[in-house]
Amino acid sequence: MSQPARTSEAGSVGVVETFHLDLPDPVRLDCGRELHPVRVAYETYGTLSPERDNVILVCHALSGDAHAAGVAKAPPESGTRDGFGAEERDGSSAKGLGWWDGMIGPGKAFDTDRYFVISTNLLGGCRGTTGPSSTDPATGRPYGSDFPVITVGDMVRTQRAFLDALGIERLAAVAGGSLGGMQALEWAISYPDQVDAVVAIASTHALHPQGVAWNAIAREAIMRDPAWQGGHYYGTGRAPDAGMGIGRMVGHITYLSAPALEEKFSRRLQFADDLRYTITEPEFEVESYLRHQADSFVKRFDANTYLYISRALTYFDLARQHGGGSLKRALEDVRARTLLIAFSSDWLYPPAASQDIDRALRSQGKPVEFEVIDAPYGHDCFLLEEARQTPIIRRFLARGGAG
Amino acid sequence: MSQPARTSEAGSVGVVETFHLDLPDPVRLDCGRELHPVRVAYETYGTLSPERDNVILVCHALSGDAHAAGVAKAPPESGTRDGFGAEERDGSSAKGLGWWDGMIGPGKAFDTDRYFVISTNLLGGCRGTTGPSSTDPATGRPYGSDFPVITVGDMVRTQRAFLDALGIERLAAVAGGSLGGMQALEWAISYPDQVDAVVAIASTHALHPQGVAWNAIAREAIMRDPAWQGGHYYGTGRAPDAGMGIGRMVGHITYLSAPALEEKFSRRLQFADDLRYTITEPEFEVESYLRHQADSFVKRFDANTYLYISRALTYFDLARQHGGGSLKRALEDVRARTLLIAFSSDWLYPPAASQDIDRALRSQGKPVEFEVIDAPYGHDCFLLEEARQTPIIRRFLARGGAG
């Protein structure tokens, strides 16, 4: 098992800046509440065509942000190359590279010579878009756990309002991996006349119950940390770092495959080949890795955002929300061409989930392509297997003719 | 997927009592320390033959105890049918049934009409055998985290000393599932002339790195709970229940298979078919189940015991400890007949691990049987699939001729 090759011929989008836009109107939420004000952090790569018909919206995963490509103009606070777990492994965070830099740029999968790529931090986030750490206008203090419970539908509604404010009506494509793929699918259902193509990678129409359980455990770990303080920890000098660290550890193991862990760590000990007989200190390399991942994550991520986004992605269920229990009915209004990519070793968002979507679309005569890439890294493949995704995505987008 | 059938024709060992024995001598530990005094909690089922040649030692898993069969004479503190997770699911804990009651009794897999079955609480335990919650003679207070770090080898050495004190030299068989199977294999290597047969179920020669990681996360969750207080929480009125609850949740999901979770819970909501938009309350049935499992577990189990036993089972590595890195060499002195049983859906102790053992024994011409039972419940199968294990074990033991 060797490291996947990165695309090296293609160029970079260079130095980029994150911008912010305040939405003019309140965002109506699925829970019945309205949210106002809402600020959206975003980056763009490439050039908007005069016809405004070459826009690709890129959606990020649980712990990502708007910085999807290029080198951050502002030095990264503590690492920005993120989507799930890949960033802390390959050290690129030190360079301030976007979390999908391998996929977005001149000649890359999302080709900025041709497309105008927009990436936003999602609603509920902690990297510039309004979320639980933002100021609640009703109190003048951070929302904390008074922030409304949000859904993937709310995230997409916010993106729609944001694009309206930019004067962009149609999307040549909306693309994302994992939770990002959920947003892409939601777009195709909620705004069928405004999306030409969907690219949903390592994603699903509804997380399976084991995935629901892993997310519940991560959230419990945060909420059981006394430093969470019922969700109102901002300004107290304490944060539920211990609990969120546990949640992140759980996440990391679910993002990798068992064979990948075997390949990477095996049962190697930290200190030569002798046990030190310790309960408190890491003894195996994989134990030390987990601690490092947890420690670096809590420095840059807000625990309440983790709670809210994790909740949203477990709620996500296209059949229940849009089809009265039927996935086929949920997808019946979709007009976009759809590309689904899954990875053979991904047990959190397994290929079977993408296959369900493929069948439901295909049975209604809708244009869909489904590719399973045989790769060993588990769910993290969507961040790592850029070289093998690139030709599939480029071919798919080229067939659309737009842009 | 239907519930597995229980053996119903066989009888019960009836009402049983847990006894205690104080070892006369200190137990020498792998870490270099000695432990004294050591008390062992145990139960016996059946009748010792005059020749003392019909003894089967049964070894329990991470959260088990000496009460393996029958109905506890003393009312259970809060549930004793345990090994891993099955007890809280089938409600038998209310009846005080032993954790392997379906396997031990007249006419059962470990037939008490023929064998004298002994079950001990393992070293480091919290159910009667000396462990971290026992009094440290040096201080007069509970050991807490001053308890020495123990290994599976130490557990087996303690069992050996215990059997010496009972006047029992040979074992017709030593048997167990999961960590219990590790102990059985360790017995065959450490005392090759004193073990006639080994039954290692859903076990391994060394936990794979993903399993090491899950255990590390569970331990971290306990140790990061401020109520752990560096391991010295006894008598403070606080215990790391929150952290151990998280650990238990992680454990539960690893003991089950993803299809079993799908079958049992699917994505059913707690309250009809409507989302309640809550971060803090369980919304899916699987979330509620996890909380219930955590809450009931912390009432009956000691967090430090969890830490020590979890550490011991991650250390366990026959090749490293006994073979200079070679599993084959580690097993070269084994003289016992070996029965290995694994379950197709067990991803924590996968069939491949048992197959490694099978090959290493077979290649040296040692008598070994390896059965993979096709069953959907994951690692918990060793507690649930009693009816299908029974004929395999009975046949295997009968071929030995002893007893």
Side-chain angles (χ1 to χ4, degrees), chain A residues 319-360:
Chain A
R320 185 173 50 68
Q321 291 158 230
H322 297 286
S326 158
L327 181 60
K328 188 173 165 184
R329 204 181 319 154
L331 296 165
E332 69 188 4
D333 291 334
V334 169
R335 300 180 60 176
R337 298 183 305 119
T338 302
L339 170 62
L340 305 161
I341 298 177
F343 300 92
S344 57
S345 58
D346 184 349
W347 55 288
L348 190 62
Y349 291 75
S354 292
Q355 190 169 52
D356 291 341
I357 302 169
D358 176 63
R359 282 193 189 134

Side-chain angles (χ1 to χ4, degrees), chain A residues 89-304:
Chain A
R89 287 215 304 282
D90 63 12
S92 57
S93 65
K95 301 173 215 136
L97 276 183
W99 57 268
W100 229 6
D101 186 70
M103 298 279 272
I104 301 167
K108 294 183 179 173
F110 302 103
D111 189 346
T112 51
D113 286 339
R114 180 162 185 174
Y115 294 102
F116 181 61
V117 177
I118 303 179
S119 168
T120 68
N121 185 208
L122 47 67
L123 185 68
C126 57
R127 310 277 293 180
T129 292
T130 299
S133 56
S134 302
T135 301
D136 180 352
T139 64
R141 289 194 299 272
Y143 283 101
S145 51
D146 295 329
F147 195 75
V149 174
I150 55 173
T151 65
V152 173
D154 296 332
M155 296 171 187
V156 167
R157 209 172 295 117
T158 303
Q159 288 159 350
R160 176 67 274 173
F162 160 79
L163 292 173
D164 284 344
L166 284 194
I168 291 169
E169 197 199 327
R170 294 191 61 79
L171 294 174
V174 53
S178 194
L179 167 61
M182 292 178 175
Q183 294 165 65
L185 292 164
E186 182 84 24
W187 261 97
I189 291 175
S190 295
Y191 304 104
D193 299 327
Q194 298 161 24
V195 182
D196 293 331
V198 163
V199 180
I201 304 173
S203 194
T204 182
H205 56 93
L207 200 58
H208 54 62
Q210 193 194 58
V212 171
W214 294 127
N215 274 276
I217 293 170
R219 292 196 309 276
E220 286 280 335
I222 291 171
M223 294 189 293
R224 286 170 177 234
D225 185 334
W228 185 58
Q229 304 169 67
H232 296 286
Y233 52 85
Y234 305 111
T236 67
R238 296 160 64 216
D241 290 346
M244 189 164 66
I246 296 296
R248 181 64 167 178
M249 291 182 187
V250 170
H252 258 285
I253 300 302
T254 64
Y255 306 149
L256 296 167
S257 67
L261 283 167
E262 181 67 50
E263 164 78 11
K264 190 173 176 69
F265 301 107
S266 184
R267 286 181 48 90
R268 280 193 306 278
L269 297 170
Q270 279 283 97
F271 292 91
D273 204 36
D274 279 327
L275 300 182
R276 292 180 301 156
Y277 298 103
T278 170
I279 299 290
T280 52
E281 295 306 309
E283 187 81 289
F284 295 91
E285 284 186 9
V286 68
E287 295 175 350
S288 180
Y289 166 81
L290 283 172
R291 280 208 189 175
H292 171 73
Q293 293 296 338
D295 291 349
S296 62
F297 185 64
V298 300
K299 285 181 193 143
R300 68 175 176 79
F301 208 78
D302 176 56
N304 278 334

Side-chain angles (χ1 to χ4, degrees), chain B residues 33-48:
Chain B
R33 287 172 62 182
E34 287 196 337
L35 201 61
H36 189 75
V38 173
R39 169 170 289 192
V40 177
Y42 69 101
E43 294 189 359
T44 69
Y45 322 106
T47 307
L48 182 62

